[in-house]
Structure formats: C-alpha cells, structure tokens
Amino acid sequence: MTTIAIIGAGPGLGAAVARRFGREGFAVALIARDQERTDALAAALGREGITARGFTADVRVPRALTDALHTAADALGPIEVLQYSPIPHRDFMRPVLETGPDDLTGPIEFSVYGPVTAVRAALPGMRELGRGTILFVNGGTAVVPHPERAGTSIAFAAQSAYGHLLHDTLAADGIHVTQLVIPGAIVPGHPRRDPAVLADTLWSLHSERHGFRHFADDLEA
Ligand SMILES: NC(=O)c1ccc[n+]([C@@H]2O[C@H](COP(=O)([O-])OP(=O)(O)OC[C@H]3O[C@@H](n4cnc5c(N)ncnc54)[C@H](OP(=O)(O)O)[C@@H]3O)[C@@H](O)[C@H]2O)c1
C-alpha cells in the first residue's frame, strides 16, 4: 500500500481528497497543526474502511513538516502522492499598500518554504518507488493577483513558479507535478467547487498526468 500525504488536512477539501484517494486503496496521512482534529478525521475515515492517521506539523516549521512526512511514510507506507493544500491565514490577505516586508514573512514561509520542505522530504521516497504525484492547490490569486490580498498573491505566484519548474524537471523520472487553481470559494453543493467534485478533479489530475496548471472553474468565478 502506498500513501497520499495531505498537508493541510481539514474538514473541507482535505477530508474529501482523503476519501477519494482512500477509496482507491491509498493509505492517508493527514497533516495539520491540531492533532485532535486530524485524529478525529482519521477515525472517521477508519470507520469507512480507509487506512488513515493524523500527524502534527505547522508548515511554517520545516523540521516539524519533514519529521511528520518521514514518520507518516514509516507508519503507513511510501508517499506516492503529496498534496500541499493548507488554508492560508487571513493575515496574509492585506491590501498591497499596507503590506511591508514583515507582512510577507508568513505568506512566503507558508506557500514557498513549506512546499519546498515537503517536496524535499517526499522526493527520495518517490524516486525509490519509481513514481509519484505532487499536487499543489491554490486560489485564483495564484494566476490573477488581487490588490486586497497581496501576501497570498505574491506567495502563490512564487509557489506556482516552483511547481512549474518541478513539473518540467521531474517528468522524466515518472513524477508528475501539477497545480489545481480554484477560482472563488469552495462551496458545498456547487457543481464544480464542491469538495468532493474537486477531489474527483484531483484524482483525475493524478491518474491522467498531463500538463501543469489546471482550473477547477472559470477564472471570473
Ligand atoms: N476554502 C476556500 O474557499 C478555498 C478557495 C480557493 C482555494 N482554496 C484552496 O483549498 C485548500 C484548502 O481547502 P479547504 O479550505 O477546504 O481547507 P480544509 O482542507 O478544510 O482545511 C485546511 C487545513 O489547513 C490546516 N492548516 C492551516 N494552516 C496550517 C499550517 N500553518 N500548518 C499546517 N496546517 C495548516 C488547517 O488545520 P489546522 O488548523 O489544524 O492546522 C485546516 O484545517 C488550499 O489549498 C486553499 O488554497 C480554498
């Protein structure tokens, strides 16, 4: 059994992706800051027949994130799929003229250092396995910067560049790197932006393996 590690595993998209990949036979490593919540989600998935475990890490603490991924692989099996999708903090979304260098520390740690740390922790295992998928999930500001959300706009753009570089560099090794941009909000019941629909989209990106950037909905959503 191989593992999907979901970094930023909460009740919305994280839980839906856990169910979707769990149904396909993946073990699921749920990584977030609150151990009680990830344990509760793992228990709920377990009752549905999915092998899942919670692991604690703040993506802004590189050592903790690396340790969580290594511990998850030891406990559940090698990480074949890595999804980076923690929900950004509201403080990262300030108007551009009110955003100074210090205000960018959080967004950059969260959206750039975190993914780089996670990829470097998971990549050796994927290479050993001979295959892998890395899924980046972003909001629309990754593509169209928003003047009221400067931190996430700047940091998502940097994450997009990192992902695109990985996509081009790792393709020859059988490791597919892809980005799902979700314009607008995740809305239960929405035909394209419901969590379970988005999880189906992410499963397709993993299984069909073409191109880097994909959109969950029209950009003006
Ligand atoms: N929600 C939306 O409307 C929306 C819209 C467009 C794009 N997106 C994208 O969708 C993804 C999130 O999906 P979702 O909103 O449904 O969230 P979710 O999967 O329900 O939960 C995400 C989890 O991220 C965790 N998290 C936040 N900060 C973290 C940190 N510093 N370190 C580790 N974990 C952290 C939180 O758990 P803890 O508090 O326990 O750490 C939270 O439960 C993100 O990639 C986001 O960019 C969301």
Side-chain angles (χ1 to χ4, degrees):
M1 188 181 260
T2 59
T3 299
I4 176 170
I6 302 171
I7 300 176
L13 184 66
V17 169
R19 287 196 167 86
R20 185 68 182 87
F21 281 72
R23 274 209 316 274
E24 301 287 344
F26 279 84
V28 184
L30 305 160
I31 300 174
R33 291 166 300 180
D34 188 311
Q35 182 82 47
E36 268 182 39
R37 282 205 293 259
T38 52
D39 284 349
L41 178 54
L45 293 166
R47 288 190 289 276
E48 298 167 29
I50 294 168
T51 302
R53 266 183 65 177
F55 301 89
T56 310
D58 184 331
V59 298
R60 295 177 61 183
V61 181
R63 188 72 250 166
L65 185 53
T66 300
D67 286 350
L69 286 163
H70 288 163
T71 308
D74 289 345
L76 294 171
I79 295 169
E80 180 180 343
V81 181
L82 180 73
Q83 173 168 300
Y84 194 86
S85 57
I87 182 97
H89 199 277
R90 290 198 70 78
D91 287 355
F92 301 169
M93 301 173 209
R94 301 161 82 86
V96 63
L97 295 182
E98 293 169 24
T99 299
D102 290 349
D103 301 307
L104 291 176
T105 303
I108 297 292
E109 286 180 350
F110 188 89
S111 294
V112 184
Y113 298 168
V116 175
T117 300
V119 167
R120 291 174 71 84
L123 204 49
M126 290 184 186
R127 286 189 189 283
E128 211 167 298
L129 204 57
R131 62 182 190 278
T133 302
I134 299 172
L135 302 165
F136 292 107
V137 182
N138 297 105
T141 53
V143 182
V144 182
H146 192 295
E148 300 295 315
R149 300 179 206 152
T152 46
S153 297
I154 293 164
F156 275 178
Q159 186 186 119
S160 301
Y162 177 60
H164 209 144
L165 293 171
L166 288 177
H167 171 84
D168 294 347
T169 305
L170 292 173
D173 297 339
I175 297 168
H176 181 56
V177 183
T178 185
Q179 177 190 44
L180 182 65
V181 175
I182 307 171
I186 295 176
V187 181
H190 188 281
R192 294 180 74 184
R193 286 180 275 126
D194 172 86
V197 174
L198 293 166
D200 279 340
T201 305
L202 285 157
W203 174 259
S204 300
L205 297 188
H206 160 69
S207 47
E208 290 169 16
R209 309 180 87 67
H210 61 85
F212 171 63
R213 175 170 284 169
H214 299 267
F215 291 90
D217 202 351
D218 302 332
L219 251 188
E220 60 272 17

